[in-house]
């Protein structure tokens, strides 16, 4: 966004050196910023948790970012703005500016979060497909955001007396760069919600963890040849649904005393789940029984 680009341009331009005063954070300043960072973290996770691959990649238009692209931009900006705040601490301390106050902090948040003013991201902050899933983005965002929160909670740095001066916000101190960081993530979380509100946004599917257990016998050794043939039909049925996209993962436990089959099933409704399990040949034969729990994916290894 242009606001970030402009800030980067003036980040190295400091006010003339003057008699320094204490720039350490008050309890109110620390609590305000921590609250902003925690709230925008929660809202970001709520926006991206549980989105499907299709939802993650969906673009409302060729020139409009997907959820994945918005999330990547947030993470890239998070690291850059935190680093800029830290770099500003290496500049000479100045007298605390009149704009280093709670009113200006809140005004900065409101200005950045206002999406009525559209902008174009600078090249270093443009997404490039770094995060293939929402889970991978969530892990990285948690890492960088938690580092920022821990810093704000414990720092004794003089954030209020290391200052840049220039457009678009005029005078801004190192603390306000962190306020900007929180507000920026809120701005693009709102953009994610705009994508998700698009009429063409893929519908959410419910994800279930389905378990198959033996119904008539307690051991695989007790199955008759006819039973085993029916289990072959069961395997073919699962393969067909894997190819159709309903099944996304599956396998079986190797405990001979308690054999179970497990699979992740993605469907549009609970009725579709019931129809899927009821149509299983081994379930129809009474050889297997099923149970299902709603499931939410937290991570997935990239292989």
């Amino acid at each position: 966004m242009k606001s970030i680009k402009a800030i980067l341009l003036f980040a190295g331009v400091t006010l003339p050196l003057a008699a320094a005063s204490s720039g350490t954070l008050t309890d109110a300043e620390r609590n305000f910023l921590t609250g902003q960072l925690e709230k925008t973290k929660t809202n970001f996770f709520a926006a991206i948790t549980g989105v499907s691959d299709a939802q993650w990649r969906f673009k409302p238009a060729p020139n409009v970012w997907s959820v994945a692209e918005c999330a990547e931009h947030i993470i890239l900006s998070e690291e850059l703005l935190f680093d800029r705040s830290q770099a500003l601490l290496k500049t000479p301390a100045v007298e605390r500016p009149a704009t280093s106050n709670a009113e200006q902090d809140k005004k900065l948040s409101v200005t950045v979060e206002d999406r009525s003013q559209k902008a174009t991201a600078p090249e270093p902050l443009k997404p490039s497909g770094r995060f293939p899933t929402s889970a991978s983005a969530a892990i990285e965002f948690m890492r960088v955001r938690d580092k920022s929160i821990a810093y704000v909670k414990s720092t004794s740095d003089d954030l209020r007396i290391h200052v840049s001066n220039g457009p678009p916000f005029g005078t801004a101190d190192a603390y306000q760069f962190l306020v900007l960081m929180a507000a920026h993530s809120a701005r693009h979380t709102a953009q994610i919600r705009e994508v998700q509100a698009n009429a063409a946004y893929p519908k959410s599917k419910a994800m279930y963890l389905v378990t198959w257990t033996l119904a008539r016998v307690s051991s695989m050794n007790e199955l008759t040849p006819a039973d085993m043939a029916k289990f072959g039909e069961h395997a073919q049925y699962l393969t067909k649904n894997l190819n159709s996209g309903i099944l996304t993962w599956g396998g079986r436990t190797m405990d001979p005393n308690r054999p179970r089959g497990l699979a992740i099933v993605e469907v549009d409704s609970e009725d579709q789940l019931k129809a899927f399990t009821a149509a299983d040949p081994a379930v129809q034969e009474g050889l297997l029984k099923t149970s299902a729990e709603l499931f939410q994916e937290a991570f997935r290894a990239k292989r």
Side-chain angles (χ1 to χ4, degrees), residues 95-173:
E95 193 70 33
R96 178 170 172 146
T99 53
S100 293
N101 59 58
E103 181 181 356
Q104 181 65 13
D105 299 339
K106 292 174 183 176
K107 181 179 178 181
L108 177 63
S109 288
V110 170
T111 300
V112 173
E113 291 182 33
D114 179 11
R115 285 193 47 74
S116 65
Q117 299 297 318
K118 303 300 182 183
T120 301
E123 201 62 36
L125 300 182
K126 289 182 178 178
S128 60
R130 179 178 169 186
F131 302 107
T133 65
S134 63
S136 62
I139 290 169
E140 180 62 9
F141 180 77
M142 183 180 294
R143 182 188 71 80
V144 295
R145 176 55 65 90
D146 284 355
K147 179 184 73 172
S148 300
I149 292 171
Y151 171 77
V152 172
K153 285 181 175 179
S154 62
T155 185
S156 58
D157 290 341
D158 290 325
L159 294 169
R160 288 300 209 176
I161 57 173
H162 293 274
V163 180
S164 284
N165 189 36
F169 302 114
T171 302
D173 60 39

Side-chain angles (χ1 to χ4, degrees), residues 16-96:
L17 182 62
S21 61
S22 175
T24 56
L25 301 184
T26 65
D27 288 344
E29 289 168 339
R30 197 182 304 276
N31 291 340
F32 170 73
L33 181 51
T34 301
Q36 293 295 103
L37 291 169
E38 292 280 13
K39 180 180 72 173
T40 54
K41 171 187 171 181
T42 297
N43 291 343
F44 174 73
F45 283 148
I48 70 167
T49 298
V51 302
S52 67
D53 289 343
Q55 291 170 332
W56 186 240
R57 297 188 301 268
F58 169 77
K59 291 173 69 71
N63 62 338
V64 177
W65 281 353
S66 64
V67 174
E69 289 169 325
C70 291
E72 183 177 351
H73 175 69
I74 288 172
I75 294 167
L76 293 174
S77 302
E78 187 90 5
E79 294 187 289
L80 186 144
L81 289 169
F82 183 85
D83 290 347
R84 291 296 179 181
S85 175
Q86 291 294 291
L88 201 55
L89 292 174
K90 298 177 182 178
T91 64
V94 301
E95 193 70 33
R96 178 170 172 146

Side-chain angles (χ1 to χ4, degrees), residues 28 31 34 48 62 78 129 133-134 139 152 176 187 189 192-193 218 220 229 233 278 281 292 294 297-298:
N31 291 340
T34 301
I48 70 167
E78 187 90 5
T133 65
S134 63
I139 290 169
V152 172
Q176 287 168 335
R187 175 185 178 89
T189 298
I192 288 173
R193 291 303 192 188
S218 58
M220 295 291 287
E233 294 178 31
L294 276 170
E297 183 179 83

